[in-house]
C-alpha cells in the first residue's frame, strides 16, 4: 500500500542549503542577460568588472573587511581548501632551509570542523608530511581558550604551528565558538587564524576582521549556489591551488561568475541587515521545537548548549536532538515520508551509517550518537512548521524504535 501523500511539506534543513531569496533570483537573472567577461578590456568587460567590484565593496562592508581582502570562490569548500592547504604551503616554504625539516609543519584544528576543513588537513598529513593537533571540545561542543593554549604548547610548541583553524559556529549542534578570543591567542604567537563562518553568517553578528582567513558562502543565506568568499587578510599569501588567468589576487584563477557574485552581494547584505531580527524570530521557533520535543518523550535530549532565548552560545536556527533506542536515519526517512525534510549528523561509508565525529568528539557514546536528528530553521520557517513536526514525531518515534528493537534482536 503506498504511503499517504503529506498534507503539507516542511523544510527544516537550512544548514544544508536555503531557498534562494526572490531579490537574488531577480539580480542573477538580470545580470545573466548581460554579456561580458570581467577580465576583458572592452566596454562589455568593463561593465562586468564594475559590477564585480561594486559587489566586492558591498560584501566587504557587510563583513567588516577591506575590499582587497575579498576573494571570490565557488563556495565554502573551495575557500577552506585555499585557506588550509595554501597557508600551510606558504608557511612551510617560509621557514624551511635547504636540507632541513620544516619548522612550521603543524596544524592546530578543532575536532568539530566540517569535512571541508578536516579532509584538506588529512590530505596534508597523508601527502605533505604535515602534523595535526586536534583541539577537542567540551561536552557542549565548545573550544575553550584553555584547550587551544594547551594544543599550541604541545608537539613542538607554538613556533611549530603553520595555522590554527576553528569554525565560527558548528553545522551540526549549533555551538558558537569564542572566535575573537581564540584568534587573539593565536596572534600572540604570530600564527594565522582561519575560521569557517559558513553557518554563522546571518544568524550571529560576524566581524571577519578578527581572523586572518574567513569563509562564507551564498547558499546558506538565500544566495546562489556556487558563489562564496574567502576573506584573506592583506598580509596573507596562501599558495594558490589553481593556476590560469591569475584572477582574485592570483589565489583563484578562473573567469569570474558575475551573475553569481552580484546575487551573493545581495544575499550577504540582506543577511547582515536582518541578522538581529532574524535571530530573534528563529530562536522563538527553535525553543518551541526543542521544548515540545522534550515534553513528548523522556528519551529525547538536546546536543550542544541551549538556554531558551539565548542567541549567542547556540545558533538561533539550530535544533539538534538525540533520541534513545533509535537510529537517526530511520527517523529521517519516516519524517521525510510525513513531508518533513531534516537531516542526521551521521556520515555514510561503504553503505554503513557512521555516528557523527562531532558528537563523538563531544564525548557522546557511539550508541547515543547514532540517534541524532538535526532540524535547522531559516527564512520562511514559521510556527506551523513546528506544529507539524511535533505532530509527526510521536508516530515516527514509535516506528523507528520498533525497527531498532527488531534489528537489535536479529543481531543478538
Amino acid at each position: 500500500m503506498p504511503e499517504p501523500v503529506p498534507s503539507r511539506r516542511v523544510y527544516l534543513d537550512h544548514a544544508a542549503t536555503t531557498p534562494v531569496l526572490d531579490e537574488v533570483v531577480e539580480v542573477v537573472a538580470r545580470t545573466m542577460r548581460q554579456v561580458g567577461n570581467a577580465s576583458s578590456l572592452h566596454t562589455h568587460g568593463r561593465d562586468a568588472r564594475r559590477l564585480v567590484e561594486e559587489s566586492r565593496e558591498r560584501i566587504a562592508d557587510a563583513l567588516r573587511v577591506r575590499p582587497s581582502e575579498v576573494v571570490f570562490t565557488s563556495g565554502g569548500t573551495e575557500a577552506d581548501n585555499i585557506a588550509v592547504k595554501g597557508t600551510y604551503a606558504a608557511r612551510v616554504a617560509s621557514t624551511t632551509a635547504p636540507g632541513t625539516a620544516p619548522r612550521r609543519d603543524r596544524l592546530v584544528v578543532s575536532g568539530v570542523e566540517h569535512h571541508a576543513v578536516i579532509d584538506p588537513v588529512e590530505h596534508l598529513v597523508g601527502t605533505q608530511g604535515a602534523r595535526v593537533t586536534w583541539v577537542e571540545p567540551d561536552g557542549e561542543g565548545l573550544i575553550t581558550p584553555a584547550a587551544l593554549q594547551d594544543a599550541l604548547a604541545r608537539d613542538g610548541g607554538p613556533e611549530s604551528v603553520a595555522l590554527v583553524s576553528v569554525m565560527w559556529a558548528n553545522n551540526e549542534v549549533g555551538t558558537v565558538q569564542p572566535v575573537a578570543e581564540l584568534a587573539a591567542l593565536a596572534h600572540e604567537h604570530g600564527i594565522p587564524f582561519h575560521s569557517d563562518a559558513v553557518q554563522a553568517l546571518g544568524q550571529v553578528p560576524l566581524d571577519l576582521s578578527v581572523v586572518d582567513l574567513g569563509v562564507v558562502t551564498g547558499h546558506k543565506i538565500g544566495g546562489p549556489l556556487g558563489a562564496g568568499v574567502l576573506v584573506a587578510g592583506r598580509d596573507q599569501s596562501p599558495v594558490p591551488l589553481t593556476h590560469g588567468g591569475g584572477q582574485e589576487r592570483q589565489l583563484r584563477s578562473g573567469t569570474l561568475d558575475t551573475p553569481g557574485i552580484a546575487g551573493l552581494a545581495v544575499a550577504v547584505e540582506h543577511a547582515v541587515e536582518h541578522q538581529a531580527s532574524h535571530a530573534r524570530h528563529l530562536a522563538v521557533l527553535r525553543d518551541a521545537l526543542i521544548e515540545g520535543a522534550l515534553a513528548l518523550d523522556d528519551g529525547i535530549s538536546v546536543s550542544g548548549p541551549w538556554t531558551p532565548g539565548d542567541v549567542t552560545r547556540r545558533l538561533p536556527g539550530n535544533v539538534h536532538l538525540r533520541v534513545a533506542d533509535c537510529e537517526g536515519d530511520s527517523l529521517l526517512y519516516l519524517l521525510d515520508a510525513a513531508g518533513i525534510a531534516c537531516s542526521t549528523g551521521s556520515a555514510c561509508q561503504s553503505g554503513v551509517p557512521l555516528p557523527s565525529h562531532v558528537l563523538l568528539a563531544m564525548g557522546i557514546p557511539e550508541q547515543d550518537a547514532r540517534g541524532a536528528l538535526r532540524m535547522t530553521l531559516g527564512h520562511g520557517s514559521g510556527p506551523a512548521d513546528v506544529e507539524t513536526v511535533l505532530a509527526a514525531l510521536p508516530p515516527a518515534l514509535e516506528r523507528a524504535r520498533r525497527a531498532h528493537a527488531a534489528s537489535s534482536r536479529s543481531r543478538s
Side-chain angles (χ1 to χ4, degrees), residues 41-53:
L41 300 179
H42 48 62
T43 302
H44 293 83
R46 294 197 303 272
D47 288 344
R49 171 59 66 178
R50 185 180 305 111
L51 183 53
V52 166
E53 296 309 321

Side-chain angles (χ1 to χ4, degrees), residues 95-261:
T95 59
T96 304
T100 65
R103 282 181 60 227
R104 294 174 181 154
D105 65 341
R106 188 161 66 100
L107 297 158
V108 174
V109 184
S110 92
V112 294
E113 293 300 302
H114 190 279
H115 278 283
V117 170
I118 290 176
D119 289 1
V121 167
E122 292 184 340
H123 170 81
L124 291 173
V125 171
T127 66
Q128 305 298 316
R131 297 180 297 144
V132 59
T133 302
W134 299 106
V135 189
E136 297 307 329
D138 66 12
E140 293 186 332
L142 187 73
I143 303 296
T144 65
L148 177 57
Q149 181 67 68
D150 177 67
L152 291 173
R154 285 186 273 141
D155 303 324
E159 61 273 13
S160 69
V161 179
L163 180 72
V164 173
S165 181
V166 180
M167 67 196 327
W168 205 291
N170 187 260
N171 54 298
E172 291 190 28
V173 300
T175 305
V176 180
Q177 304 294 350
V179 169
E181 294 177 62
L182 300 175
L185 181 56
H187 293 159
E188 288 178 12
H189 301 286
I191 305 168
F193 189 96
H194 161 253
S195 187
D196 180 327
V198 162
Q199 296 292 333
L201 182 57
Q203 295 211 40
V204 295
L206 193 63
D207 179 357
L208 287 184
S209 70
V210 304
V211 302
D212 304 285
L213 300 135
V215 172
V216 297
T217 195
H219 74 105
K220 308 293 189 181
I221 54 169
L225 286 159
V229 163
L230 167 65
V231 170
R234 290 190 298 181
D235 58 344
Q236 299 300 308
S237 300
V239 173
L241 305 185
T242 58
H243 301 84
Q247 293 91 340
E248 298 303 283
R249 279 173 50 186
Q250 302 283 334
L251 289 178
R252 202 270 182 175
S253 289
T255 301
L256 291 167
D257 176 9
T258 304
I261 289 169

Side-chain angles (χ1 to χ4, degrees), residues 304-315:
W306 175 61
T307 302
D310 173 61
V311 293
T312 58
R313 298 177 63 240
R314 183 192 192 96
L315 291 175

Side-chain angles (χ1 to χ4, degrees), residues 287-302 306 321-322 390 393:
D287 294 344
L289 184 48
I290 291 176
E291 289 168 348
L294 295 177
L296 285 175
D297 196 298
D298 290 339
I300 296 177
S301 57
V302 183
W306 175 61
L321 305 174
R322 300 192 314 278
L390 294 178
L393 260 179

Side-chain angles (χ1 to χ4, degrees), residues 15-87:
T17 199
T18 54
V20 182
L21 296 167
D22 289 342
E23 52 266 48
V24 170
V25 173
E26 291 171 7
V27 74
V28 170
R30 184 173 66 250
T31 308
M32 288 182 75
R33 297 188 181 97
Q34 301 171 6
V35 66
N37 185 322
S39 297
S40 297
L41 300 179
H42 48 62
T43 302
H44 293 83
R46 294 197 303 272
D47 288 344
R49 171 59 66 178
R50 185 180 305 111
L51 183 53
V52 166
E53 296 309 321
E54 289 173 353
S55 298
R56 194 189 309 275
E57 291 174 3
R58 293 162 62 187
I59 290 170
D61 184 62
L63 300 180
R64 302 183 185 182
V65 297
R66 300 178 180 92
S68 61
E69 296 174 322
V70 172
V71 176
F72 292 118
T73 70
S74 64
T77 296
E78 183 186 21
D80 281 328
N81 272 261
I82 295 171
V84 173
K85 294 178 183 175
T87 301

